[in-house]
C-alpha cells in the first residue's frame, strides 16, 4: 500500500467532508421535525391520522432509499413542464436538494415510528402525577412527556442518525461530489480502489465515532437517575 498516495487521497476526500456533513445534518434535522409531526398525528389523529401515517411509513420504509432518490431526481424530470408551471422546477433540477428531500422523507418514516414508540412509552402514572402538580396542555408536553419520550427513543434515534450519515454516500449516484463521490472519481482516474475506499471508510468511521460519543453524552445528560446511581 502506498501511504503517500493514501495521504493525498485523504486530503482530497476531506474537501467533500463538509458536503457530507451538510447533507446529513440537513436531512436529520428536517426529517426529525417531519417525523415528530407524523408521530403526533399517529398518536392523536384518530383513525384517519393512523391510516395516513401507516401508509407513509409503509411506502418509505418498504422501498429502497436508492430507488427513492432515483425517482425524485430522474423520475420527476419527466414532469419538468408541470413542475415549471408550479414554480418548483428550480428545486428539483438541483441534485443536492433532491438528495436532501429523499434522505429527509426516508429518515422521517423511520424516526416517526421511533418517536411514536417513545411517546407511547410515557406511562399514565407519570402523566397523572404531572397533572396533580398542576401541569396541563403544552406545559405538560414540554416538561414531562417530551423529555421522557426522548429518553426512551434516543438509543434507536441515535442508530438512525448513524444510518443517515452513512446513507449520504448514496448521493454520489446523482452526481453529488461528497466523500464517496470524490472517492469514485479518484478510482476512475487511478484504478486504485482498495486504498481509496480504505481512506473513505476511515473518514466515515471517524465521523461515526464522534457522533456516538455525542449521543452517549446526551443520553447521560437526559438520565439524571443514572448519574445519581453512579455517584452513589
Amino acid at each position: 500500500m502506498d501511504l503517500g498516495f493514501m495521504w493525498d487521497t485523504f486530503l482530497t476526500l476531506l474537501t467533500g467532508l463538509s458536503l457530507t456533513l451538510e447533507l446529513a445534518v440537513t436531512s436529520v434535522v428536517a426529517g426529525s421535525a417531519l417525523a415528530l409531526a407524523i408521530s403526533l398525528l399517529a398518536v392523536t389523529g384518530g383513525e384517519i391520522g393512523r391510516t395516513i401515517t401507516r401508509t407513509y411509513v409503509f411506502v418509505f420504509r418498504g422501498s429502497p432509499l436508492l430507488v427513492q432518490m432515483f425517482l425524485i431526481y430522474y423520475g420527476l424530470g419527466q414532469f419538468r413542464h408541470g413542475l415549471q408551471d408550479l414554480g418548483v422546477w428550480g428545486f428539483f433540477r438541483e441534485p443536492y436538494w433532491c438528495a436532501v428531500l429523499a434522505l429527509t422523507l426516508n429518515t422521517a418514516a423511520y424516526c416517526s415510528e421511533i418517536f411514536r414508540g417513545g411517546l407511547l412509552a410515557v406511562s399514565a402514572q407519570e402523566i397523572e402525577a404531572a397533572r396533580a402538580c398542576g401541569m396541563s396542555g403544552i406545559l405538560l408536553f414540554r416538561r414531562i412527556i417530551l423529555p421522557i419520550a426522548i429518553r426512551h427513543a434516543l438509543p434507536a434515534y441515535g442508530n438512525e442518525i448513524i444510518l443517515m450519515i452513512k446513507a449520504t454516500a448514496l448521493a454520489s449516484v446523482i452526481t453529488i461530489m461528497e466523500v464517496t463521490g470524490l472517492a469514485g472519481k479518484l478510482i476512475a482516474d487511478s484504478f486504485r480502489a482498495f486504498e481509496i475506499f480504505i481512506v473513505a471508510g476511515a473518514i466515515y468511521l471517524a465521523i461515526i465515532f464522534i457522533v456516538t460519543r455525542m449521543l452517549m453524552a446526551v443520553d447521560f445528560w437526559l438520565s439524571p437517575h443514572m448519574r445519581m446511581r453512579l455517584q452513589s
Side-chain angles (χ1 to χ4, degrees), residues 103-221:
L103 291 168
T104 297
L105 294 176
N106 185 269
T107 192
Y110 286 92
C111 288
S112 65
E113 288 297 283
I114 294 171
F115 293 164
R116 184 176 69 87
L119 289 170
L120 294 176
V122 181
S123 67
Q125 291 83 358
E126 290 168 318
I127 295 176
E128 288 300 321
R131 285 176 175 164
C133 294
M135 297 185 188
S136 62
I138 296 177
L139 181 62
L140 172 62
F141 180 79
R142 181 174 61 86
R143 295 287 299 274
I144 303 299
I145 297 176
L146 186 59
I148 296 174
I150 291 175
R151 190 187 307 150
H152 285 293
L154 186 59
Y157 180 60
N159 287 336
E160 178 60 22
I161 291 176
I162 292 171
L163 289 173
M164 288 310 299
I165 293 173
K166 293 186 291 185
T168 58
L170 293 176
S172 61
V173 301
I174 56 173
T175 72
I176 295 180
M177 289 294 104
E178 39 71 66
V179 171
T180 305
L182 290 174
K185 185 176 183 300
L186 287 175
I187 291 170
D189 294 337
S190 65
F191 299 99
R192 302 175 71 169
F194 187 71
E195 295 106 315
I196 293 172
F197 275 136
I198 283 180
V199 175
I203 291 175
Y204 282 106
L205 282 173
I207 297 172
I208 299 305
F209 177 81
I210 295 171
V211 171
T212 52
R213 291 305 178 272
M214 293 171 62
L215 290 170
M216 289 172 61
V218 173
D219 187 33
F220 187 73
W221 176 65

Side-chain angles (χ1 to χ4, degrees), residues 1-2 6 9 38 65 73 80 104 122 152 157-158 167 182:
M1 297 216 301
D2 187 344
M6 294 178 70
T9 298
I38 294 172
L65 174 57
Y73 182 62
R80 174 179 176 179
T104 297
V122 181
H152 285 293
Y157 180 60
L182 290 174

Side-chain angles (χ1 to χ4, degrees), residues 77-94:
Q78 299 181 22
F79 307 99
R80 174 179 176 179
H81 297 296
L83 294 175
Q84 285 177 333
D85 294 339
L86 294 173
V88 295
W89 173 242
F91 178 91
F92 287 102
R93 72 180 178 184
E94 295 294 332

